[in-house]
């Protein structure tokens, strides 16, 4: 565990993000962009998790792989476009997660600055 949270619901939000990511990887498995992004993601995971390179610098290493999560989620939304109700639910979930994480990070930054 690289980051420890104070409450269980942060782990639940993280689990939802991971589930969205994995579902997006599955639905994007035949797309060239997903293969390219996935190969970079796996290489960075090998460096940061496997070889323990810069594992203490969470914010530094995140820049190497975080762009893959929206790419995979976009493939999930693209696959859900066949079912407008499912796409609406997924989009609402993504907006909620984004707003919650943004507000949480602003709160942390404000605590450190003020």
């Amino acid at each position: 565990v690289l980051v420890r949270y104070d409450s269980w619901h942060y782990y639940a939000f993280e689990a939802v993000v991971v589930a969205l990511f994995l579902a997006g990887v599955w639905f994007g498995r035949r797309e060239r962009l997903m293969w390219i992004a996935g190969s970079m993601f796996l290489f960075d995971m090998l460096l940061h998790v496997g070889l323990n390179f810069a594992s203490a610098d969470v914010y530094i290493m995140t820049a190497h792989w975080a762009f893959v999560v929206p790419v995979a989620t976009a493939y999930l939304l693209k696959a859900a476009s066949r079912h407008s109700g499912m796409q609406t639910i997924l989009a609402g979930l993504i907006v909620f997660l984004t707003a919650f994480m943004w507000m949480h990070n602003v709160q942390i930054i404000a605590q450190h600055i003020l």
Side-chain angles (χ1 to χ4, degrees):
V1 175
L2 298 176
V3 177
R4 298 197 188 282
Y5 297 115
D6 296 334
S7 179
W8 65 270
H9 68 276
Y10 296 118
Y11 292 103
F13 289 141
E14 188 172 337
V16 171
V17 171
V18 169
L20 290 171
F21 170 70
L22 293 175
V25 168
W26 177 257
F27 286 109
R29 69 187 181 275
R30 293 191 179 109
E31 301 291 334
R32 185 175 296 198
L33 176 62
M34 192 67 238
W35 276 94
I36 293 169
S39 67
M40 289 185 277
F41 176 81
L42 289 175
F43 179 72
D44 288 330
M45 288 301 107
L46 171 70
L47 284 175
H48 296 301
V49 178
L51 299 176
N52 205 21
F53 177 72
S55 62
D57 303 324
V58 176
Y59 292 108
I60 293 172
M61 71 180 194
T62 302
H64 299 154
W65 58 265
F67 65 91
V68 180
V69 176
V71 171
T73 307
Y75 281 116
L76 176 62
L77 286 171
K78 180 181 175 186
S81 67
R82 298 181 201 115
H83 310 285
S84 62
M86 182 58 75
Q87 187 178 30
T88 304
I89 291 169
L90 283 173
L93 177 64
I94 292 167
V95 167
F96 170 75
L97 286 170
T98 303
F100 177 82
M101 290 179 190
W102 186 81
M103 288 184 297
H104 177 69
N105 283 319
V106 166
Q107 177 188 4
I108 291 172
I109 292 169
Q111 286 175 353
H112 283 83
I113 291 176
L114 303 175

